[in-house]
């Protein structure tokens, strides 16, 4: 039977009403090369569960620092997204400035929040003054990526466990004609590898508001970096160039976040890829900084429907179902227990290269932010100092340490 004109009119009217009832929220996240594929994998399930919500994706942040700077600017201009993804070490400044909204009212309405995988250890990563301001989305640790074809060609069968062994492997590879044996991720966001060398010695880079660059452990970290850079003849590559070179089979060893494993595997050339634990300074690391990010509610809308839509999206991407896609498409570990214990029960056994970071979880330590409003500027000071080691401009590590201590002190609230 053909539909009548009245029936067609009613159908069109209903469609128009549905379209008008659809709520649009805006979302921003970092690292498109890592996470684009993750959100693409998530969207079908979210759209099926929430047909009345449209998620508008903003331009991605280049890095966690870029993400925080962008949000700070948007707070001034009144153009904040409804949900933002921020580095775990960049949450506090958004809380202190009143940009991030407490999630307590939304969590209070959830009947089975903990049984859905949101356990206390997860929530503590985004808890400030006893209130939850974010839901952690992914957790990463530093690992080693190895081209076993290159290593074995030089007679290297075992993965290095210390930086001295890494340097020895570099010497072997150079003698075997490898021009760039290693890439060591000094330029990763938030001085993460500097903190990794500090935590390896069980030393925090911030203690009681004091940045501990004046410590013996900080000097040892600088000296260790210099040894790796100079003795391995490491080229000063940015991340994308390093990834391309490693994927092409030109670099034997790469040290970076486990978060990039999915991207590495997707671009990998024809060689045997193996991941291994992050080497230590003469011994197994005593700690490593937890990288990763958390979803935060930054919506300025007072419309309850927009707020509830933003919460629905924020909760979905950090849920067991959403977090499982993080593990499948990247090398990040999902902090949601439901993802790890139920959905991914056999996943890590079937993906041993992703198991490496999981095995290092007992070493997990805080990825620390620098105190005060100049935290991002302190990050840049340390970044610039390390780059001077890479380029050979800085040769005296004690002198460099003294310069960094003085520059950072000028940026701290307490001097």
């Amino acid at each position: 039977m053909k539909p009548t004109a009245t029936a067609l009119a009613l159908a069109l009217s209903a469609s128009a009403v549905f379209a008008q009832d659809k709520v649009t929220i805006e979302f921003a996240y970092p690292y498109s090369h890592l996470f684009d594929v993750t959100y693409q994998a998530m969207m079908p399930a979210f759209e099926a569960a929430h047909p009345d919500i449209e998620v508008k994706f903003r331009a991605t942040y280049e890095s966690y620092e870029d993400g925080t700077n962008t949000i700070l600017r948007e707070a001034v201009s009144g153009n904040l997204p409804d949900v933002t993804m921020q580095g775990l070490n960049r949450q506090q400044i958004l809380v202190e400035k009143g940009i991030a909204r407490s999630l307590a009212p939304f969590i209070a309405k959830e009947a089975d929040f903990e049984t859905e995988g949101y356990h206390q250890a997860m929530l503590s990563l985004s808890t400030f003054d006893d209130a939850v301001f974010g839901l952690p989305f992914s957790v990463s640790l530093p690992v080693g990526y190895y081209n076993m074809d290159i290593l074995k060609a030089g007679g290297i069968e075992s993965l290095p466990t210390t930086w001295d062994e890494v340097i020895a492997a570099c010497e072997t590879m150079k003698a075997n004609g490898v021009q760039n044996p290693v890439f060591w991720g000094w330029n990763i966001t938030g001085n993460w590898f500097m903190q990794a060398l500090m935590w390896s010695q069980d030393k925090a880079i911030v203690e009681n508001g004091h940045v501990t660059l004046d410590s013996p452990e900080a000097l040892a970290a600088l000296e260790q970096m210099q040894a790796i850079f100079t003795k391995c003849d490491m080229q000063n590559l940015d991340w994308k160039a390093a990834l391309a070179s490693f994927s092409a089979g030109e670099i034997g060893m790469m040290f970076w976040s486990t978060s990039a494993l999915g991207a590495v595997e997707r671009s990998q050339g024809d060689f045997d890829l193996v991941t291994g634990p992050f080497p230590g300074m003469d011994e197994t690391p005593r700690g490593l900084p937890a990288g990763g990010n958390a979803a935060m509610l930054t919506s300025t809308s007072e419309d309850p429907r927009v707020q509830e839509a933003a919460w629905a999206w924020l909760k979905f991407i950090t849920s067991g179902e959403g977090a499982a896609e993080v593990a499948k498409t990247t090398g990040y570990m999902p902090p949601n227990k439901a993802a790890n214990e139920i959905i991914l029960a056999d996943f890590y056994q079937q993906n041993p290269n992703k198991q490496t970071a999981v095995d290092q979880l007992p070493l997990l330590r805080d990825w620390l932010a620098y105190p005060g409003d100049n935290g991002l500027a302190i990050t840049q000071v340390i970044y610039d100092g390390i780059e001077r080691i890479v380029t050979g401009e800085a040769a005296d590590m004690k002198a460099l340490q003294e310069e960094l201590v003085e520059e950072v002190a000028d940026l701290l609230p307490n001097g």
Side-chain angles (χ1 to χ4, degrees), residues 102-132:
S102 171
L103 300 180
F106 301 95
I107 294 174
K109 297 177 183 177
E110 299 290 334
D112 302 308
F113 199 60
E114 186 168 348
T115 59
E116 292 175 1
Y118 296 95
H119 54 105
Q120 189 55 46
M122 172 185 176
L123 299 180
S124 67
L125 296 173
S126 298
T127 297
F128 302 90
D129 294 328
D130 298 323
V132 177

Side-chain angles (χ1 to χ4, degrees), residues 4-190:
T4 66
T6 302
L8 285 172
L10 287 172
L12 290 171
S13 176
S15 298
V17 170
F18 180 79
Q20 290 172 1
D21 286 345
K22 201 162 190 175
V23 180
T24 299
I25 60 170
E26 297 194 1
F27 173 61
Y29 65 93
Y31 302 125
S32 60
H33 65 285
L34 295 182
F35 287 118
D36 281 359
V37 64
T38 306
Y39 292 114
Q40 288 167 9
M42 287 182 184
M43 284 310 296
F46 179 78
E47 290 172 341
H50 302 279
D52 58 332
I53 300 175
E54 178 185 3
V55 180
K56 181 179 178 182
F57 289 83
R58 289 191 175 184
T60 52
Y61 310 132
E62 285 292 321
S63 65
Y64 290 140
E65 285 75 30
D66 177 46
T68 303
N69 273 323
T70 300
I71 286 292
L72 293 173
R73 289 195 304 270
E74 290 170 343
V76 175
S77 64
N79 187 36
L80 286 166
D82 296 292
V83 179
T84 180
M85 201 65 74
Q86 294 286 317
L88 292 176
N89 69 328
R90 299 298 176 195
Q91 298 175 93
Q92 186 167 350
I93 189 171
L94 303 191
V95 174
E96 291 174 349
K97 291 186 174 296
I99 297 171
R101 301 176 69 146
S102 171
L103 300 180
F106 301 95
I107 294 174
K109 297 177 183 177
E110 299 290 334
D112 302 308
F113 199 60
E114 186 168 348
T115 59
E116 292 175 1
Y118 296 95
H119 54 105
Q120 189 55 46
M122 172 185 176
L123 299 180
S124 67
L125 296 173
S126 298
T127 297
F128 302 90
D129 294 328
D130 298 323
V132 177
F133 282 88
L135 294 183
F137 176 68
S138 57
V139 174
S140 63
L141 284 168
V143 297
Y145 295 80
Y146 300 93
N147 182 325
M148 295 307 297
D149 292 2
I150 292 179
L151 267 63
K152 289 179 179 178
I156 302 170
E157 296 288 340
S158 300
L159 300 183
T161 59
T162 67
W163 297 116
D164 285 344
E165 291 177 4
V166 167
I167 292 169
C170 284
E171 298 289 347
T172 299
M173 284 187 278
K174 286 192 293 182
N176 212 32
V178 179
Q179 294 183 349
N180 192 21
V182 72
F183 174 74
W184 194 87
W186 70 272
N187 48 6
I188 202 167
T189 183

Side-chain angles (χ1 to χ4, degrees), residues 65 256 274:
E65 285 75 30
W256 195 257
V274 172

